[in-house]
Amino acid sequence: MSANTFPSQIEPFKWAEQGFTWSGTLPLSRFARIAREAVGSIDDQLINIDCKLSMDIYHRIVWLDGHIETKVPMECQRCLGPVEIELVSDFHLALIDDESLIERLDEDADFIVLGESESSKKGDFDTPASIDLLALLEDELLLLMPLSPKHDACEHKHQPTIQDVVEEKRDNPFDVLAGLKGKLNS
């Protein structure tokens, strides 16, 4: 399946019954919120995606499993140069149409409750809710983005080194006053 055939909107319950899977790459530019954080050109940046939907009919839960990875060029907060940040996520999300189903999940399970705006008849298992798969995958990557991206080792551009401080030794303005005080006492 090519990037052009990647579905943006999906109906998770319907698609899970059909065994939806998708594997391929998309341009980083399709993820607008991540692209805004990037520096420089992202024309050649790709996001690798593997995902599948499955359904637990007994519990009325759709599971979205997948792996997503990319590299995002960001600005290093130390040296202000570009730094490539690798984002990798393996996810296992429960997509549920009713909050009462949360108690059926493991306590550490990640889940998304499909809201009324995303479903025409909330709680009706046969009526599929539609979700924006691209936005959901972008959310997973945004959670991985560092607040303060930086290289593992780099030099601060705006913070002088100890050698710079020693070389830039300033004259003490009070030395002039001390000299005057010495002249007055003589």
Side-chain angles (χ1 to χ4, degrees):
M1 194 176 280
S2 71
N4 293 334
T5 59
F6 182 81
S8 177
Q9 293 288 323
I10 64 168
E11 296 174 355
F13 293 99
K14 177 181 173 182
W15 291 40
E17 286 177 348
Q18 298 171 359
F20 168 78
T21 60
W22 192 86
S23 185
T25 59
L26 291 175
L28 181 61
S29 59
R30 292 235 359 226
F31 295 81
R33 293 177 290 162
I34 293 175
R36 279 193 298 265
E37 300 296 321
V39 295
S41 174
I42 57 168
D43 295 337
D44 298 332
Q45 295 295 117
L46 296 174
I47 297 178
N48 297 313
I49 302 171
D50 292 304
C51 58
K52 71 175 184 171
L53 287 172
S54 58
M55 187 171 352
D56 179 343
I57 296 174
Y58 177 74
H59 289 106
R60 292 181 39 201
I61 298 169
V62 170
W63 291 98
L64 175 62
D65 293 293
H67 175 84
I68 187 167
E69 66 181 87
T70 190
K71 292 181 180 178
V72 180
M74 300 181 76
E75 182 177 73
C76 175
Q77 297 301 301
R78 289 184 182 145
C79 70
L80 303 179
V83 58
E84 200 166 70
I85 302 295
E86 185 172 19
L87 305 176
V88 178
S89 176
D90 290 305
F91 52 89
H92 180 67
L93 296 173
L95 306 177
I96 56 178
D97 62 351
D98 186 351
E99 288 182 18
S100 67
L101 299 173
I102 294 172
E103 62 192 38
R104 295 181 184 176
L105 301 172
D106 293 334
E107 65 182 50
D108 61 342
D110 293 327
F111 61 90
I112 296 173
V113 178
L114 305 175
E116 289 181 12
S117 63
E118 298 165 338
S119 128
S120 57
K121 279 183 160 181
K122 189 173 182 175
D124 183 356
F125 188 65
D126 296 326
T127 303
S130 177
I131 63 169
D132 185 344
L133 184 57
L134 280 177
L136 195 140
L137 295 175
E138 186 173 26
D139 289 345
E140 285 298 308
L141 289 174
L142 285 169
L143 290 171
L144 299 173
M145 291 182 75
L147 293 175
S148 182
K150 53 189 167 262
H151 293 100
D152 290 335
C154 65
E155 211 174 286
H156 296 268
K157 280 191 175 178
H158 297 294
Q159 215 170 29
T161 64
I162 292 175
Q163 185 177 3
D164 292 339
V165 172
V166 170
E167 289 175 4
E168 191 183 299
K169 186 176 178 184
R170 296 183 187 173
D171 293 330
N172 185 344
F174 296 106
D175 287 344
V176 174
L177 292 175
L180 289 174
K181 182 179 175 188
K183 289 182 182 178
L184 291 175
N185 289 337
S186 351

